[in-house]
Amino acid sequence: MNRFALINLNILLILGSLVGAFKIHPRHSISTLTRRTGQEFLQITAATAAARVDDAITVDSTSWGSPPPKIVINRFHETWEWTHLGRKYKINYRVEGPRDGQPILLTHGFGANLNHFRYNIPSLVDAGFRVYAMDLLGFGASEKPANATTVGFSIEMFSQQMVDFITSRSDKNVEDTIQAPWILAGNSIGGLCSLQVAAREPSTLSFDIASVILFNSAGGMSGFRYSDIPAVLHPLMAHVQYFVLNPRFFHGSLVYNVISQRTTIEPILKQAGIYRNVNNVDEELLRIFLEPAMDDGAKDVFLSIYGGPAGPTRESLLEAIAKKNRSTTMSRPISILALWGENDGFVPLDETVKSWATTYSEFFHLEVLGNAGHCLHDEYPEEVNARVVAFLKK
C-alpha cells in the first residue's frame, strides 16, 4: 500500500462512518445509531482493506464464545507525576528486571498502551535488562486530560514525556536510580518518538542513548502529511482534520463511536495489515485496545491526536542522528535496529525505508520479517525478542 492509497483509506474510514450515520432512522437511539453505523463503516473498511492487502494468515484459528472468556488485564502499575507546561499529569508505567541491568524504555503506538508489549517484557527481563514500559499521556492508564484540545498533542510533546521520565530515573531521590546508557524501543508512533529523542542535541539530554529499536516506525503522528497528497485534496483533508475530527463537534463523536467498537477494531486488526499473522488477535488483545477507549476523556484525546500535526519526518531525524554520531562530542555512536513487517498495510516497507540501510549503513540496520504486519513484536514475539537481544548483546 503506497502513501496515497493509505490516505484514501483514511478518508474512506472517516467519511464512510459519517455517511452511514445519516442513514439511521430518526427514531433510533444513539446506541442503535452507533451499532448500525459501525456495521456500515466496517463494510467500507473491510472492502478497502481487502483491495489492498492479501488475506491475513491464521497460524492457529481463534474463536470467541458467548460469553467470552474472563480475562483480567492489569492496566494500572506504577504512577509517575509528569509536569508539562505548568500542568501535572499522572502517568502509568511498568518496571521489571534487575536493578543493575541496562535500561530499556518501551513506547507503544497510536491507540495502544504498555500492555501491547505483553510478550516482549518477560523475554527482555530474562535477558538481564531493566525494562520500563510507559503509557503515553492520554493512552492506557495514563491520565486523559479533560480538555485535550488545549494540551497540544504532538510527537515533540510525547518525546518530551519520554525525556522527562528517563531524566527522573536519574534522580537520586527515586528508588531505581539509573546511570547506564538507555535503549529506546517503540512501535509505530512510539518508534518515531524514540527517533525524536535520539536525534536531540546531547546538551539537551542528561543521559546517554546506546541504541534505538524500531518496530515498524510510523511516518507521522496523524494519518497523513499534506506534502504527500496532491494539492487538490488539501481542502478536503483540512476539512476532515479541523472539522470532522474536531472533538467539539458532533461529527467527532460519531467517528469515535464507530472506531472504538469491537466490531470495528477486530476486523481492522485482522484485515488492514495491522496483524498479518492473526493468531495473537485474541480476547486479551482486544481488551487491551478497547478498555482504555471507554475511559472518560479518551474520545477527545483520540480525535485531537488523529487530527493533529504529523510531526518530524523519519528522514530528518535519521539525518540528525547521523550528524550527531559524527560529532566529536559523542562518547558513543547511536545504533539503530529497524524490524519491519514485510506485509505492513499501515506503514509499508517501501523503497524509501529500504534505502536507509544503505544511506545510513554505519548505524542503521534493517531486518524484515516475512508474513508480518504492523505489530510484528506481538505477532512473532519469540523471533522479535531473539533478534532484539542478539543485536543489543553485540
Side-chain angles (χ1 to χ4, degrees):
M1 183 188 298
N2 58 35
R3 290 179 179 176
F4 187 58
L6 179 60
I7 292 164
N8 286 335
L9 175 58
N10 280 309
I11 296 173
L12 283 172
L13 294 183
I14 295 167
L15 299 186
S17 66
L18 297 179
V19 170
F22 288 107
K23 292 180 180 178
I24 305 304
H25 195 278
R27 71 171 181 268
H28 289 142
S29 66
I30 188 67
S31 60
T32 304
L33 183 150
T34 54
R35 283 198 301 271
R36 289 188 53 185
T37 302
Q39 293 169 356
E40 297 179 18
F41 172 85
L42 178 55
Q43 292 172 0
I44 295 175
T45 303
T48 306
R52 289 169 168 76
V53 296
D54 299 329
D55 292 336
I57 291 178
T58 304
V59 177
D60 180 20
S61 60
T62 304
S63 61
W64 290 269
S66 180
K70 184 175 178 57
I71 296 174
V72 178
I73 304 296
N74 185 10
R75 292 180 56 195
F76 300 90
H77 297 272
E78 308 294 327
T79 299
W80 167 61
E81 190 175 77
W82 180 41
T83 302
H84 179 64
L85 299 179
R87 300 183 184 180
K88 295 183 182 297
Y89 302 104
K90 289 182 171 59
I91 302 299
N92 181 58
Y93 75 95
R94 175 181 174 183
V95 56
E96 293 187 24
R99 294 185 181 280
D100 60 348
Q102 187 171 10
I104 299 179
L105 177 59
L106 301 174
T107 305
H108 60 80
F110 180 66
N113 54 76
L114 62 80
N115 282 322
H116 203 198
F117 295 107
R118 53 184 174 161
Y119 298 131
N120 311 111
I121 294 174
S123 293
L124 293 172
V125 169
D126 289 343
F129 294 98
R130 180 72 164 171
V131 183
Y132 295 83
M134 176 174 58
D135 288 337
L136 295 173
L137 180 66
F139 292 106
S142 284
E143 186 172 339
K144 297 171 178 63
N147 193 353
T149 57
T150 65
V151 173
F153 285 104
S154 65
I155 292 297
E156 291 82 359
M157 189 209 74
F158 288 136
S159 300
Q160 189 61 49
Q161 178 184 336
M162 295 168 63
V163 169
D164 291 346
F165 176 78
I166 293 175
T167 301
S168 74
R169 297 306 95 189
S170 302
D171 189 337
K172 298 186 184 302
N173 295 319
V174 300
E175 186 176 355
D176 53 338
T177 301
I178 301 293
Q179 300 297 333
W182 282 74
I183 300 161
L184 308 178
N187 169 237
S188 195
I189 67 168
L192 188 61
C193 290
S194 297
L195 284 177
Q196 169 81 2
V197 174
R200 290 180 57 156
E201 288 293 331
S203 60
T204 68
L205 301 174
S206 62
F207 53 89
D208 291 329
I209 299 170
S211 303
V212 175
I213 309 295
L214 304 177
F215 304 125
N216 294 66
S217 173
M221 184 180 76
S222 54
F224 61 90
R225 289 182 184 278
Y226 284 92
S227 59
D228 291 339
I229 62 178
V232 68
L233 290 179
H234 287 190
L236 172 62
M237 299 311 298
H239 178 76
V240 170
Q241 186 174 19
Y242 299 113
F243 182 67
V244 175
L245 294 176
N246 194 318
R248 293 174 293 180
F249 301 132
F250 79 98
H251 309 85
S253 295
L254 291 176
V255 171
Y256 188 75
N257 287 339
V258 172
I259 292 177
S260 60
Q261 299 296 314
R262 178 185 178 128
T263 51
T264 302
I265 293 292
E266 185 179 343
I268 286 179
L269 290 175
K270 290 182 175 181
Q271 297 175 342
I274 306 300
Y275 277 71
R276 169 73 173 181
N277 166 18
V278 300
N279 188 52
N280 285 340
V281 182
D282 52 17
E283 188 67 30
E284 182 179 69
L285 181 71
L286 289 171
R287 295 191 179 188
I288 286 172
F289 276 92
L290 289 171
E291 288 184 7
M294 298 299 104
D295 292 347
D296 291 341
K299 178 195 71 175
D300 287 2
V301 168
F302 176 91
L303 294 172
S304 296
I305 293 174
Y306 200 78
T313 64
R314 295 168 297 185
E315 291 83 357
S316 67
L317 297 177
L318 287 172
E319 189 59 37
I321 293 172
K323 180 179 179 180
K324 186 174 176 179
N325 279 345
R326 293 191 294 266
S327 172
T328 57
T329 61
M330 287 287 289
S331 59
R332 67 170 69 200
I334 297 172
S335 60
I336 298 176
L337 172 63
L339 295 174
W340 227 277
E342 184 179 34
N343 302 101
D344 186 347
F346 187 68
V347 185
L349 177 67
D350 56 21
E351 293 305 315
T352 298
V353 173
K354 294 176 183 178
S355 71
W356 298 336
T358 301
T359 305
Y360 305 107
S361 59
E362 68 274 15
F363 68 89
F364 185 93
H365 309 276
L366 174 65
E367 296 185 15
V368 179
L369 272 69
N371 295 324
H374 188 59
C375 300
L376 77 173
H377 66 288
D378 195 56
E379 295 177 72
Y380 298 102
E382 291 185 1
E383 182 172 357
V384 167
N385 294 337
R387 293 189 184 213
V388 169
V389 171
F391 177 81
L392 295 177
K393 293 289 187 181
K394 286 182 181 180

